[in-house]
């Protein structure tokens, strides 16, 4: 994994594949009890145990210095610690100024690992020794993490979680911006956390036939065959630009516009609607007062599902028709699908690209076709990640987009 933005960008720059087999013990059963061959699908089983996982977090976790005693944070599952760590790190980047600080973050409404273990403990008596028991506070879903975050950081302008699946962190950022625009908060923490029960996710995506049978995350690749789930957390400290300048903050990026849409009834959960995507993209540029021609890099949602990626390419090409060669990328080629955190992680990649003034595309598997590296769709020319292709950005300011 990557424990900070610099490490994340370095992994992308170096084309590293951070996907691996599930850590031992995470599934609470032997892998052969949950796995099945990709060509012999079985109910309630998964054909892959690969994903993106956080490593070595304990080496950087410091429970001291919060508004809650460190001992009160003991026993809470890792996702809460991740959320506290990332939120505190984000706050450290911004001077408080006025005191009204709130938070909104994405949190998948699925059972977490510790919630599932607690259910085992209650219903099946799975833990016979007292020191092996799961802390009952982990039985809560999103509200539990939000309550701890609010108390630990002494937030006085509200704190809540939401679940908009893969768009969760972008919705959180939009709602946080709304709070700042309406003047009901002076600093908002926004982002997402994802550490749902990993076995639950693998079996669920297998049931949807969305999990990669090759065990590879290859957005826009000609041989892409599905996604691989990942875990993580990313939080931003957001302020009004005038306030940030007044307080002498380091401004890493400026949000010019956000566009949202809801496709409504469609052909299926994993079949996005191209028109809905185009509405959202155009709404963002309208709100920003920018033409698509101003964009120097586009980070895409692309998960590695063939239908979803093809739809996103068509939607993007429709909006960027007439634009010259546009570099596009997807962080999922390095990390897998972070689900609720996907948008926030992609934004961190864009910020780092802009800071270093160089576009790093991801690992070398991120190729549409070995013989035609450019993908031409109508009047738009989209450049997916190419081996050893790094584009130097000379424009200042740099405008990037995330879809």
């Amino acid at each position: 994994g990557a424990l900070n933005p610099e490490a994340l960008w370095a992994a992308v720059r170096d084309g590293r594949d951070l996907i691996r087999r599930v850590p031992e013990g995470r599934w609470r059963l032997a892998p052969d009890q949950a796995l099945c061959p990709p060509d012999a699908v079985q109910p309630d089983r998964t054909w892959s145990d690969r994903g993106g996982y956080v490593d070595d977090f304990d080496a950087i976790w410091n429970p001291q210095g919060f508004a809650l005693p460190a001992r009160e944070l003991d026993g809470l599952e890792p996702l809460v610690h991740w959320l506290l760590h990332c939120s505190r790190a984000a706050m450290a980047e911004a001077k408080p100024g006025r005191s009204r600080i709130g938070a909104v973050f994405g949190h998948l409404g699925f059972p977490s690992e510790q919630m599932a273990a607690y259910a085992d403990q209650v219903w099946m008596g799975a833990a016979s020794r007292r020191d092996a028991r799961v802390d009952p506070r982990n039985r809560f879903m999103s509200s539990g993490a939000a309550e701890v975050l609010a108390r630990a950081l002494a937030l006085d302008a509200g704190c809540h979680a939401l679940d908009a699946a893969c768009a969760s962190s972008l919705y959180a950022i939009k709602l946080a911006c709304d709070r700042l625009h309406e003047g009901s908060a002076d600093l908002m923490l926004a982002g997402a956390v994802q550490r749902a029960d990993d076995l639950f996710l693998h079996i669920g995506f297998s049931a949807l036939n969305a999990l990669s049978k090759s065990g590879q995350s290859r957005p826009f690749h000609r041989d892409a065959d599905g996604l691989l789930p990942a875990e993580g957390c990313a939080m931003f400290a957001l302020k009004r630009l005038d306030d940030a300048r007044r307080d002498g903050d380091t401004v890493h990026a400026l949000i010019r516009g956000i566009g949202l849409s809801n496709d409504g009834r469609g052909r299926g959960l994993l079949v996005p609607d191209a028109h809905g995507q185009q509405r959202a993209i155009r709404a963002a540029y309208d709100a920003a007062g920018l033409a698509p021609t101003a964009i120097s890099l586009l980070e895409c949602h692309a998960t590695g599902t063939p239908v979803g990626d093809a739809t996103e390419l068509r939607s993007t090409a429709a909006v960027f028709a007439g634009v010259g060669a546009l570099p596009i990328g997807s962080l999922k080629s390095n990390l897998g699908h972070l689900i609720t955190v996907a948008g926030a992680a992609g934004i961190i990649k864009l910020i780092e690209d802009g800071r270093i003034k160089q576009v790093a595309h991801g690992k070398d598997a991120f190729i549409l076709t070995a013989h035609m590296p450019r993908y031409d769709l109508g009047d738009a020319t989209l450049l997916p990640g190419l081996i050893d292709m790094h584009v130097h950005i000379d424009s200042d300011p740099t405008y990037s987009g995330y879809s």
Side-chain angles (χ1 to χ4, degrees):
L3 296 178
N4 55 58
E6 295 78 16
L8 177 68
W9 195 88
V12 176
R13 178 200 62 206
D14 298 341
R16 296 205 302 272
D17 185 350
L18 303 180
I19 295 168
R20 61 184 177 89
R21 296 188 66 183
V22 61
E24 185 177 356
R26 283 288 296 274
W27 284 3
R28 305 187 310 282
L29 47 73
D32 60 1
Q33 293 181 282
L35 291 169
C36 65
D39 56 354
V41 178
Q42 301 177 37
D44 296 327
R45 295 226 173 192
T46 178
W47 48 73
S48 178
D49 61 355
R50 288 173 55 77
Y53 301 98
V54 174
D55 297 313
D56 303 322
F57 175 76
D58 288 344
I60 64 170
W61 165 239
N62 178 12
Q64 304 294 332
F66 291 101
L68 292 176
R71 65 180 180 276
E72 191 169 333
L73 302 179
D74 291 341
L76 294 174
E77 59 185 324
L79 73 85
V80 178
H81 294 168
W82 297 354
L83 182 64
L84 295 178
H85 172 82
C86 291
S87 297
R88 179 167 62 180
M91 283 186 65
E93 291 276 317
K95 299 176 179 65
R98 303 186 184 95
S99 62
R100 298 179 302 171
I101 304 174
V104 53
F105 62 95
H107 190 332
L108 198 63
F110 284 1
S112 66
E113 179 185 340
Q114 288 296 296
M115 182 189 296
Y118 182 75
D120 288 345
Q121 177 178 291
V122 171
W123 296 335
M124 304 175 64
S128 58
R129 298 186 311 151
R130 185 172 182 79
D131 61 359
R133 288 189 173 274
V134 180
D135 191 313
R137 291 176 297 173
N138 292 318
R139 72 188 186 276
F140 297 108
M141 281 196 175
S142 303
S143 60
E147 189 266 345
V148 174
L149 178 62
R151 294 172 57 217
L153 295 182
L155 304 179
D156 57 2
C159 178
H160 72 274
L162 60 87
D163 181 1
C166 312
S168 293
S169 59
L170 300 183
Y171 268 86
I173 291 170
K174 174 63 166 65
L175 293 176
C177 289
D178 289 346
R179 292 287 308 277
L180 294 170
H181 287 151
E182 70 188 22
S184 62
D186 301 308
L187 189 155
M188 287 295 296
L189 297 169
V193 65
Q194 198 307 94
R195 201 180 189 267
D197 184 276
D198 193 63
L199 179 59
F200 187 97
L201 289 177
H202 276 77
I203 291 178
F205 281 124
S206 294
L208 291 170
N209 202 34
L211 193 72
S212 169
K213 292 186 176 181
S214 66
Q216 300 181 70
S217 181
R218 298 181 288 187
F220 296 143
H221 195 283
R222 60 180 178 180
D223 297 324
D225 61 352
L227 60 82
L228 291 174
E231 62 186 23
C233 181
M235 296 292 288
F236 301 98
L238 306 181
K239 297 176 74 172
R240 290 177 289 270
L241 180 59
D242 287 345
D243 290 353
R245 286 172 170 166
R246 179 201 64 208
D247 298 334
D249 294 321
T250 297
V251 179
H252 296 281
L254 176 65
I255 299 173
R256 290 286 299 262
I258 301 175
L260 305 175
S261 72
N262 190 312
D263 295 345
R265 184 176 181 179
R267 291 185 294 151
L269 183 63
L270 299 177
V271 184
D273 179 73
H275 295 295
Q277 291 182 347
Q278 292 173 41
R279 284 197 305 273
I281 297 171
R282 289 194 170 103
Y285 290 108
D286 288 345
L290 292 173
T293 52
I295 303 302
S296 57
L297 171 66
L298 184 67
E299 176 71 6
C300 298
H301 181 64
T303 64
T305 56
V307 174
D309 287 6
T311 302
E312 184 171 2
L313 279 173
R314 288 193 294 270
S315 302
T316 303
V319 174
F320 288 88
V323 176
L326 175 66
I328 64 174
S330 175
L331 185 59
K332 296 172 187 67
S333 64
N334 301 91
L335 295 178
H337 191 357
L338 285 159
I339 312 176
T340 52
V341 191
I347 292 173
I348 290 175
K349 175 187 168 184
L350 291 176
I351 291 173
E352 289 298 298
D353 281 335
R355 181 176 65 85
I356 299 173
K357 297 290 187 180
Q358 180 173 285
V359 176
H361 283 285
K363 66 184 177 68
D364 58 6
F366 185 61
I367 305 170
L368 278 167
T369 148
H371 305 294
M372 189 180 70
R374 298 196 311 172
Y375 200 133
D376 293 297
L377 292 164
D379 293 329
T381 301
L382 309 179
L383 301 179
L386 311 177
I387 298 176
D388 296 329
M389 177 182 175
H390 296 275
V391 179
H392 186 78
I393 302 174
D394 294 319
S395 61
D396 191 13
T398 298
Y399 297 108
S400 301
Y402 182 91
S403 64

